[in-house]
Amino acid sequence: MSELFDAVDALIASRSPLPPPEERRRLRKAHGLTVEEVAAALKVRRATVSGWESGKTEPRPPERNAYARLLKQLAELYPTPTVTASEQDTAQGDTRPHQPEPTGKRTEEPPPTPESAAAHVPGHTRSRPAAPTAATGATAPHPVPHAARRSSTSFGTKKAAAVHAPVAGTDPHFENGPLAVVDADDGQVLAYCVGGLVLDVPTSSLSALVEWTLKEGKLGQPKLSGPGKDADPLLVLTEAALEHYGLPVALTDEERRTGRLQEDHKVLRQLARADWKLTKRGFGPWARIYRPAQGSERQCVQLCIPSWRALDPRHWGIAGQLPPAELARLLGTYASRVMTPRGSTAVTGLELMTALHPPTHAVRDEATGGFRKADTKNPGSLGEHPVDCAPCEAPDGHPLLKDLPRFHQRTPAEKLFEEAYDWARPLTDDECTKRYLVGIDVNMAFAAGANGLTVGLGAPTHVQQPRFDPKLPGSWLVDLSHVDLSRIKLGKEWADLNGDLLPSPFTPTGERPGGPAWYATPTVAYAVELGYDVRPIEAYVRHDNGRYLDAWYNRLRDAYITTMADLGVPADASPEEFLTAMDGYRDRDPEMAILVSAIKATVKGGIGKLRERPRGEGWKPGQPWRALSRPTWRPDIRAAVISRTRINMHRKLVKHAAFTGQYPAAILSDCAVYAADGPSPLDFLPYRNGKPLPGGWRLGVSPGMVKHEGTQTVLWGEGVREQFQAPELNLARYIKDGQVTNKDNGE
């Protein structure tokens, strides 16, 4: 009988009721749980829990009952916020016709036609449906401000994952979302918000638009961290809106060079008369208009002007040419998954670091009973004030180097030079007998390099003859020329390799170092990992340190994986399924493909901004430049991330070589090229029963895993090298499409 009872219990557990995927994610985040923690508790993979939360998969017994129990307990602790009936219907995907509401209340309208979508809707806060998007080819349903609108794109015999329109925040101040695309038509101004919401904007001047945004627009984004600040509302001005407000559609050549509108422009004088101010950068493609804060209330609006090249085509593609509703969807999704854009993707990447680790926090003032800014920096942050880098970390022209002779070229013993790989070698005779050259590319390589990395949070301390500590971030002057790649330690065992076919892990060019040089901690730690002793001569170490980039990595990783899932590339796909899903994934939803590019540019640009160089403004070598005044100007953190990224790649190279006897023919940054008998990565990656080589290359969408970059023939590679008379031409630079436009000069 007990067996029958157990069978009945198991049957009931197999149908344990679960809340919608969005609610599962909300409950987990409300309790401060990570996906990894839930996965560990349920003894499943992280990707499995992500699939449950995205609605792509459903839990099965025995995990389903435990998962349902977890969500039930969390729901008791964090009840669902009160929403209207129409919001509940939308959130639950209710397709039943809405019943009329009592007289005097707002009623739902039927799905509009394109003609009715273009009709005028009076009032400041009533919404109207947006026009059809290119991605779906269908007219969006009448929007509800708090509700999420879903769409899916068909491809082949499957459907891509539903693309979630950003959900407006529960904060009543931001109920219309983080941003709006402002357009004008025959004197009528409309603000296209996220989720298909469109607002009438009864303003005729730019100063009135700013006033309306702060008082009635209800735009903005809640802070990303407890001690942080809410994001200012963002207005994106179309060309029609620029003309309506008296602004030029395009900047003159002089204005493009200076990056701003001339200060005597009539619109800027109009703003000044209304007591609005501009930042030092003036009125450019990304402008900030503000008044000094009144207490804790900020009065600031940011403008984005696509026709002034605010959305760089290298990272945003054709975003600047999208219709207002589609551009609002794209930028709104970026805002919900990353943050409200604060400028270029590079600027946003840097601002995201600060938003996740605010430099200060509030404390109660015992004298007044109110709150004031704490006297000490926020733990785990970089603080409010910049710190000087070490002399070896300073780029050429830095004030720390002003006493160096003119035109002095610093040697590796004077300058920290941690950069990504640019290395290639001639093919061996055996490789020439193979048919193909196959390139693999590391997903979000620099993000993966930042994951779990301990970096300095404060100023460096100079020490002589230090004992190397792999847990202490800093820069070390040490001789690594004795490390021989022909015999290295892999784990606890020594391995014999062909060191001539491998790049050195200690230089970007792959050449073996010739003597003492400056290295970041991950590089020196790798020499120890390979089984060799190190004896630093001197170092600049940072005792105040922490994993500053972890939250930054997690947010960008989740944004990337979620967006790739929207494009039909799931995180839990098998190698074969992954390669198939990646084939033509950008064509399934061009807007989400743009978002993928923007997210990746946010990673690379954010890391690059940590060592931003002078940008004109009359700068001369030896003088400080604007970026040095930022706490986030930290070349040591940039060097540590790049060092870790290069070491991560080399670790996989040697694992692969030791197991298969195959060596890379070329490496460029995060792309490696191998000779293979077949055109697919699976023709040389050592998968066994669907499982990759531990510690080696692994196909997949997550950061640190690899995708197929491109395939060319060996004859193509040898022909290109012969054409340019360059036996070590870096073929990784051209493996994607095979187009070689000029000789590889290393730039």
Side-chain angles (χ1 to χ4, degrees), residues 2 22 37 90 172 182 190 228 245-246 272 299-300 313 404 443 453 550 588 591 599 670:
S2 61
E22 296 85 354
E37 289 173 329
T90 305
V182 180
L190 300 172
Y245 291 119
Q299 297 187 73
C300 183
L404 288 178
N443 297 317
L453 178 65
D550 273 11
R588 294 169 196 151
E591 292 176 23
I599 293 170
D670 48 11

Side-chain angles (χ1 to χ4, degrees), residues 380-565:
S381 76
L382 299 180
E384 284 190 288
H385 307 291
V387 296
D388 284 335
C389 62
C392 62
E393 299 163 350
D396 294 337
H398 191 278
L400 289 175
L401 309 175
K402 62 182 179 181
D403 294 330
L404 288 178
R406 192 178 182 187
F407 305 122
H408 175 73
Q409 296 292 322
R410 290 190 290 168
T411 66
E414 299 174 289
K415 179 181 180 180
L416 176 68
F417 191 65
E418 294 282 11
E419 299 294 340
Y421 268 130
D422 187 351
W423 169 87
R425 61 169 176 80
L427 297 180
T428 64
D429 292 343
D430 180 63
E431 290 169 338
C432 287
T433 64
K434 299 183 182 297
R435 294 187 60 186
Y436 298 100
L437 295 171
V438 183
I440 53 176
D441 181 81
V442 181
N443 297 317
M444 302 265 285
F446 295 103
N451 182 27
L453 178 65
T454 301
V455 300
L457 302 178
T461 300
H462 186 214
V463 290
Q464 294 285 351
Q465 302 294 326
R467 181 177 180 180
F468 177 68
D469 183 353
K471 297 181 180 180
L472 190 59
S475 300
W476 309 78
L477 179 61
V478 58
D479 188 352
L480 300 180
S481 61
H482 62 292
V483 178
D484 184 6
L485 295 181
S486 298
R487 183 164 177 76
I488 60 175
K489 201 171 186 180
L490 295 179
K492 297 181 180 180
E493 303 292 332
W494 286 90
D496 294 323
L497 302 175
N498 189 338
D500 295 334
L501 301 182
L502 284 169
S504 168
F506 310 126
T507 63
T509 61
E511 298 178 358
R512 190 168 179 169
W518 285 98
Y519 302 101
T521 296
T523 302
V524 185
Y526 187 58
V528 176
E529 179 184 327
L530 294 178
Y532 290 85
D533 293 331
V534 296
R535 298 179 180 178
I537 301 169
E538 61 177 307
Y540 288 90
V541 297
R542 290 172 169 83
H543 297 287
D544 179 13
N545 55 66
R547 292 168 59 160
Y548 175 71
L549 296 173
D550 273 11
W552 182 83
Y553 162 78
N554 289 334
R555 188 163 180 85
L556 290 167
R557 174 204 61 199
D558 291 346
Y560 178 74
I561 292 178
T562 301
T563 308
M564 290 299 291

Side-chain angles (χ1 to χ4, degrees), residues 97-449:
H98 293 284
Q99 298 298 323
E101 295 181 359
T103 304
K105 293 187 178 181
R106 177 179 177 276
T107 60
E108 293 293 332
E109 300 173 4
T113 63
E115 290 78 9
S116 65
H120 171 70
V121 179
H124 297 235
T125 58
R126 284 189 61 191
S127 62
R128 69 172 200 156
T133 64
T136 62
T139 304
H142 187 78
V144 180
H146 289 294
R149 178 167 56 88
R150 301 168 183 245
S151 63
S152 62
T153 305
S154 299
F155 63 98
T157 59
K158 297 183 179 181
K159 286 189 176 182
V163 177
H164 298 256
V167 181
T170 56
D171 190 322
H173 294 92
F174 310 134
E175 68 178 22
N176 292 333
L179 55 87
V181 179
V182 180
D183 193 28
D185 184 14
D186 292 333
Q188 178 187 0
V189 182
L190 300 172
Y192 291 79
C193 306
V194 299
L197 179 69
V198 182
L199 304 176
D200 288 326
V201 184
T203 63
S204 58
S205 67
L206 187 62
S207 60
L209 174 65
V210 175
E211 294 274 8
W212 174 88
T213 301
L214 294 173
K215 293 181 179 179
E216 301 181 50
K218 296 184 178 180
L219 296 170
Q221 187 177 36
K223 56 191 177 183
L224 298 180
S225 178
K229 299 177 181 177
D230 296 332
D232 297 319
L234 172 65
L235 299 179
V236 184
L237 303 184
T238 66
E239 293 185 8
L242 292 174
E243 292 178 345
H244 178 83
Y245 291 119
L247 292 165
V249 172
L251 297 177
T252 65
D253 292 341
E254 175 64 22
E255 290 169 341
R256 277 199 301 270
R257 282 192 293 270
T258 60
R260 64 178 70 189
L261 197 63
Q262 293 183 2
E263 295 182 1
D264 61 349
H265 193 278
K266 63 178 182 180
V267 173
L268 303 192
R269 295 199 303 268
Q270 182 186 85
L271 289 172
R273 286 196 298 270
D275 295 327
W276 290 109
K277 300 180 182 296
L278 297 170
T279 61
K280 292 182 180 179
R281 291 195 177 276
F283 198 100
W286 291 92
R288 300 190 75 81
I289 303 174
Y290 73 97
R291 285 177 181 150
Q294 301 293 328
S296 61
E297 293 294 324
R298 287 168 58 86
Q299 297 187 73
C300 183
V301 173
Q302 179 165 301
L303 302 184
C304 167
I305 306 178
S307 65
W308 294 5
R309 294 182 64 83
L311 301 175
D312 191 330
R314 294 174 299 174
H315 309 139
W316 287 103
I318 62 169
Q321 304 169 27
L322 292 175
E326 296 179 28
L327 182 56
R329 175 208 179 205
L330 173 62
L331 295 179
T333 307
Y334 179 89
S336 67
R337 295 179 181 177
V338 181
M339 70 179 300
T340 302
R342 296 288 302 274
S344 67
T345 50
V347 169
T348 304
L350 198 68
E351 291 289 340
L352 180 60
M353 297 179 194
T354 303
L356 294 170
H357 286 287
T360 62
H361 59 283
V363 295
R364 186 173 295 278
D365 191 325
E366 296 181 359
T368 63
F371 286 91
R372 61 174 178 83
K373 185 170 63 176
D375 296 327
T376 58
K377 74 173 186 176
N378 200 34
S381 76
L382 299 180
E384 284 190 288
H385 307 291
V387 296
D388 284 335
C389 62
C392 62
E393 299 163 350
D396 294 337
H398 191 278
L400 289 175
L401 309 175
K402 62 182 179 181
D403 294 330
L404 288 178
R406 192 178 182 187
F407 305 122
H408 175 73
Q409 296 292 322
R410 290 190 290 168
T411 66
E414 299 174 289
K415 179 181 180 180
L416 176 68
F417 191 65
E418 294 282 11
E419 299 294 340
Y421 268 130
D422 187 351
W423 169 87
R425 61 169 176 80
L427 297 180
T428 64
D429 292 343
D430 180 63
E431 290 169 338
C432 287
T433 64
K434 299 183 182 297
R435 294 187 60 186
Y436 298 100
L437 295 171
V438 183
I440 53 176
D441 181 81
V442 181
N443 297 317
M444 302 265 285
F446 295 103

